[in-house]
Amino acid sequence: MNNSVILDFRAGSVKMFFTCRSSAQNTWNRLTLFFALSCTPVAILRRTSDHEALLQSLGQQLLRSVDTRDNLPNPSVHIALRLSTHHNLAKESEHLNRLKTEFHDDIEKSLRNGELVVGRLALYILALKSSCNDLQSVHLNHNEPLLTHLKKEMEEEKQNIAFSHRPKTNYYQYSLGILALCVSGVRVSTHVSQKLIHAVEHKQIKHGESLCVDSHAMAGMALQCLKNEGTAVKDPAELDRALASIKQRLLDSKRADGHMGNEFSTGLAVQALMAMGTQMEDCASAMEALRADVKKGTYHNPMAVSQVLPALHQQSYLHLKNKECRNEDDTLTIDADSASEVLPSHGQVSLQVEVIKSNGASSVFSINVPKGSSLFDALNLLQDKQTGFTFSTENSLWGPFLSVVNDEQARQTDRRYWQVSSDGTSLTQGIKDYKIDSAQSISIKNTGY
């Protein structure tokens, strides 16, 4: 996922499979997956133990992130913690309270500014649902229930699709809105669901000419929820075709190394495929790729971890539909000294930054930065040291993203964003996560989509 813009998320028997698994069945399913990867009982047990250690490590990483007060609490992180087997109930409760105050207040602030909040509101609802919170007891401005307001925004998005052939936000957020309503037991209008089904069938869920893997994954979970719940749709056969198309596109996005799309879209893709009833052997290479990523420390961003952890637990957002908050394991702890900050190493590397505005005008800047610096820190250094380069950011659940560069804004409302590339390759990480480890050329281009 390019974080320079927020673009981006078997009926009957499968519903039962996903809501009725016991912990023993969870273990057996994991053993089945690992048996497909290595066929000796000793190897299976070793892999199972290794897998449990990875799950614990990721859970602890998310727990440490909720203690950070620099940013707003993240509902996606809360969902991942709640979908895990092992919990720290005290920290989860504290984080839930922060969501209901700080995050809630931020949504209300956006509403006062006339902004759509589809994606954030949907995640907030799912986070409350994950803690078995009474959704009817939580209200927005003017005493309006959360679900009522989400339905209104979805209607507004549906109208925009009818006139402009796309939502005001994007299909990731539109799908997330449908999923939140469905998981919460709220009937989704056939007109709202039909817009998503139509977009899938007519290949309108894309970024430029590229397949949007995470948006397809979220659409798959949203539509599968409607199917599981028996929600009325305009044409059930068309719904089945859309689900089959999504499943095939996700499977076709698999790279030779097992990733679907890239390292940061694979977690959601696996969640979606499992939710849609895909056999575990078809997800085995993707699961192994996620495990390899965790081992080599690919996932630093809590938002990325929050999408990977449920997949490794063989869970998806659909599990929130029948989430019960009883007799939960409360053994997840973190060592206060276990978190270590990775500091930039000694030495300097040269960095060239090219800014390309919407009219094609280009400016090039050069600077030496400490090796290992984040791109965010490098841009700050460039702004401090050289005249002619300025930038500002906006915050998101993925971290800061570029909004204004050299006095030119790229706004989502104008279907534009700052595309960031290194030596010609688009970044899959945000500017605060991407590290400058070697000399390179960074391109920042005002791009339409």
Side-chain angles (χ1 to χ4, degrees):
M1 178 174 182
N2 187 333
N3 297 326
S4 297
V5 64
I6 308 306
L7 289 171
D8 25 64
F9 163 116
R10 299 176 298 219
S13 62
V14 167
K15 177 184 173 187
M16 183 178 296
F17 174 77
F18 275 101
T19 58
C20 299
R21 286 191 304 190
S22 65
S23 44
Q25 186 66 46
N26 276 325
T27 301
W28 172 250
N29 287 334
R30 283 195 289 269
L31 288 174
T32 302
L33 167 64
F34 298 131
F35 185 79
L37 299 173
S38 183
C39 296
T40 68
V42 172
I44 292 171
L45 292 173
R46 186 182 302 117
R47 282 184 176 272
T48 302
S49 176
D50 182 41
H51 187 71
E52 294 295 341
L54 286 180
L55 294 177
Q56 178 173 312
S57 173
L58 287 179
Q60 291 172 331
Q61 189 175 339
L62 288 184
L63 274 187
R64 285 191 290 271
S65 77
V66 304
D67 281 337
T68 303
R69 300 302 178 107
D70 296 339
N71 303 307
L72 286 171
N74 189 328
S76 184
V77 167
H78 192 79
I79 293 167
L81 288 170
R82 297 298 301 147
L83 285 174
S84 298
T85 303
H86 303 293
H87 302 274
N88 186 310
L89 297 177
K91 284 191 176 294
E92 289 173 12
S93 177
E94 180 183 349
H95 192 244
L96 176 64
N97 288 333
R98 288 189 62 208
L99 285 170
K100 293 170 71 173
T101 52
E102 299 170 41
F103 194 81
H104 187 105
D105 290 347
D106 190 67
I107 287 179
E108 291 192 329
K109 178 181 176 182
S110 295
L111 290 175
R112 288 194 295 272
N113 292 333
E115 302 170 10
L116 285 176
V117 294
V118 175
R120 285 184 294 150
L121 180 56
L123 273 178
Y124 180 37
I125 288 170
L126 290 173
L128 294 175
K129 178 73 174 170
S130 73
S131 286
C132 303
N133 207 267
D134 179 11
L135 294 173
Q136 297 302 324
S137 68
V138 186
H139 298 78
L140 291 169
N141 298 325
H142 306 109
N143 208 33
E144 185 177 46
L146 299 180
L147 292 168
T148 301
H149 187 81
L150 180 57
K151 286 194 73 172
K152 286 182 179 179
E153 291 216 354
M154 292 302 294
E155 286 293 323
E156 188 175 338
E157 286 282 61
K158 178 203 72 176
Q159 292 296 333
N160 201 77
I161 295 172
F163 290 110
S164 304
H165 307 293
R166 59 194 181 193
K168 285 185 177 180
T169 55
N170 49 63
Y171 279 110
Y172 182 94
Q173 294 188 47
Y174 190 77
S175 301
L176 194 52
I178 291 177
L179 179 62
L181 292 173
C182 178
V183 164
S184 302
V186 176
R187 178 186 172 276
V188 176
S189 160
T190 55
H191 298 290
V192 169
S193 60
Q194 182 59 30
K195 295 301 182 188
L196 181 57
I197 293 170
H198 182 273
V200 172
E201 289 223 291
H202 290 80
K203 298 182 179 180
Q204 295 172 345
I205 303 178
K206 57 185 180 179
H207 175 40
E209 294 305 314
S210 302
L211 177 75
C212 226
V213 172
D214 44 4
S215 295
H216 272 83
M218 195 58 72
M221 286 189 278
L223 295 179
Q224 187 66 48
C225 184
L226 297 181
K227 181 176 177 63
N228 289 354
E229 295 307 306
T231 303
V233 295
K234 183 179 179 182
D235 183 351
E238 193 176 10
L239 171 62
D240 288 340
R241 289 196 301 271
L243 284 167
S245 295
I246 291 171
K247 184 187 296 186
Q248 194 57 53
R249 288 171 197 169
L250 291 178
L251 291 172
D252 289 345
S253 74
K254 189 185 297 182
R255 305 187 320 205
D257 62 5
H259 290 107
M260 294 179 177
N262 60 50
E263 295 88 334
F264 299 94
S265 56
T266 303
L268 273 185
V270 170
Q271 283 194 51
L273 286 171
M274 290 190 295
M276 291 187 287
T278 302
Q279 296 298 310
M280 280 309 303
E281 53 264 31
D282 292 327
C283 298
S285 61
M287 292 281 275
E288 199 56 18
L290 291 176
R291 286 164 44 81
D293 289 334
V294 174
K295 287 180 178 179
K296 64 186 180 184
T298 298
Y299 303 116
H300 303 289
N301 189 305
M303 190 69 181
V305 176
S306 74
Q307 296 182 346
V308 169
L309 184 56
L312 291 176
H313 271 293
Q314 297 185 34
Q315 299 274 303
S316 79
Y317 291 163
L318 267 64
H319 284 84
L320 299 175
K321 173 67 180 176
N322 294 296
K323 175 72 174 160
E324 294 184 353
C325 305
R326 297 180 297 180
N327 302 319
E328 295 181 308
D329 178 282
D330 191 19
T331 60
L332 184 63
T333 59
I334 51 175
D335 183 347
D337 298 325
S338 60
S340 58
E341 182 182 3
V342 179
L343 299 174
S345 59
H346 295 293
Q348 302 272 311
V349 293
S350 61
L351 183 67
Q352 179 176 288
V353 177
E354 181 182 21
V355 177
I356 305 173
K357 292 191 171 184
S358 56
N359 63 2
S362 171
S363 304
V364 179
F365 308 87
S366 297
I367 193 172
N368 291 327
V369 301
K371 184 178 181 181
S373 299
S374 70
L375 178 55
F376 179 75
D377 289 338
L379 294 179
N380 270 313
L381 187 63
L382 179 61
Q383 182 172 239
D384 291 341
K385 297 289 186 182
Q386 292 194 22
T387 57
F389 177 80
T390 60
F391 79 102
S392 59
T393 62
E394 292 182 24
N395 289 323
S396 76
L397 295 177
W398 282 90
F401 64 95
L402 293 172
S403 56
V404 180
V405 180
N406 287 355
D407 300 321
E408 181 169 277
Q409 189 168 27
R411 298 180 300 184
Q412 184 176 334
T413 52
D414 297 329
R415 317 295 293 185
R416 304 195 70 83
Y417 73 105
W418 290 105
Q419 182 182 38
V420 184
S421 306
S422 173
D423 294 331
T425 302
S426 293
L427 301 190
T428 58
Q429 295 175 277
I431 58 175
K432 207 162 188 177
D433 297 313
Y434 182 76
K435 305 300 181 185
I436 309 296
D437 292 319
S438 60
Q440 57 195 278
S441 295
I442 294 291
S443 169
I444 303 174
K445 182 178 182 181
N446 192 330
T447 306
Y449 65 95

